[in-house]
Amino acid sequence: MLTGNVLEEQADPRNLADLINGLDPDLVFLQEMAGGPSRVLADIFKHHHLIPGLECLGRGVASKHDAELGSLDLPWRAGTYARLNVEGLTLTAAGVHMPNPIVFPWWRAVKERRDQVDALLAWADDQHSDGLIVAGDMNASPAWPLYRRLAGHMEDLPSQVATGVGEAPQRTWGWRPGWPRMLRIDHVFGRGVHAVGTSVHPIPGSDHHALVVDLAID
């Protein structure tokens, strides 16, 4: 699976299409998805649920396989979800974009983030699938409370892979498009699944790298 913040219309659609075709993911979640990236997913994937928009509200999910796809109702900013059958096992996945924690007024951002995580964890606890995934731009490095809350309920899958080979998980975000990656704020958490591989890939025009995780259901 792949998750990535494409910075609205800043991500070049042709390069994004080349990236997705080259990686050939089964499941894709995009955040800050405007019209260009939305058309890329619609062209590549038969199964998709796409809500392009601006002001950081655009989002989409696309699947190579037949799946139930839709919007995930969360306070402040909705997400997307997918439910699919994988060799007789059920997998439920959510794609989310948490609010930026350092915008003014910061106390509103604290409430927004808390409300979103509360609703997301309540949704996750209500799922009865063999495997569960929560992925996206969390706007939180492992030092932030939001990350620790999610990691307390689910496994940080890229970290799981990195720890297994004695390395640090790769960073995913830089201050400007094309700048070196500074922080790891895009994450994939899971329950009832484990990661067998992970990688990050530049999204030309975006300040985020795409995060790819190869998964197996336990």
Side-chain angles (χ1 to χ4, degrees):
M1 66 153 296
L2 178 152
T3 182
N5 181 320
V6 291
L7 197 59
E8 300 182 345
E9 293 287 11
Q10 300 303 309
D12 179 77
R14 182 177 299 176
N15 287 328
L16 180 63
D18 289 344
L19 175 67
I20 293 174
N21 282 320
L23 293 169
D24 193 27
D26 295 283
L27 186 64
V28 172
F29 289 104
L30 294 185
Q31 302 88 48
E32 294 193 27
M33 185 193 72
S38 175
R39 289 188 291 273
V40 169
L41 291 189
D43 289 343
I44 295 175
F45 294 94
K46 178 180 178 182
H47 309 285
H48 49 74
H49 178 75
L50 308 173
I51 306 175
L54 300 176
E55 303 297 330
C56 303
L57 296 176
R59 61 195 186 276
V61 55
S63 172
K64 184 188 297 185
H65 310 287
D66 187 23
E68 175 191 341
L69 307 173
S71 289
L72 177 59
D73 187 21
L74 297 173
W76 306 103
R77 183 184 289 157
T80 53
Y81 75 88
R83 293 192 182 95
L84 59 160
N85 185 286
V86 182
E87 297 181 354
L89 299 173
T90 57
L91 176 69
T92 300
V96 297
H97 184 191
M98 297 297 173
N100 188 329
I102 58 173
V103 295
F104 183 83
W106 64 266
W107 54 88
R108 186 175 68 186
V110 169
K111 176 174 172 51
E112 290 177 356
R113 285 159 68 86
R114 183 177 60 245
D115 289 350
Q116 269 201 303
V117 174
D118 286 346
L120 179 61
L121 291 177
W123 172 86
D125 288 341
D126 197 41
Q127 304 308 304
H128 302 287
S129 301
D130 297 298
L132 175 71
I133 298 167
V134 171
D137 176 3
M138 307 302 175
N139 268 313
S141 75
W144 283 78
L146 185 151
Y147 168 91
R148 295 197 296 271
R149 286 194 66 193
L150 293 174
H153 287 76
M154 292 167 280
E155 184 78 22
D156 177 344
L157 297 177
S159 180
Q160 181 185 76
V161 174
T163 299
V165 296
E167 298 178 353
Q170 293 177 288
R171 300 170 183 176
T172 61
W173 175 83
W175 188 254
R176 293 284 187 273
W179 286 28
R181 298 188 305 272
M182 299 170 58
L183 297 172
R184 185 167 74 97
I185 64 173
D186 302 88
H187 303 282
V188 177
F189 297 96
R191 190 163 62 207
V193 299
H194 66 273
V196 296
T198 185
S199 57
V200 300
H201 305 267
I203 303 174
S206 176
D207 51 348
H208 290 253
H209 278 40
L211 173 60
V212 176
V213 179
D214 300 318
L215 300 163
I217 300 180
D218 293 336

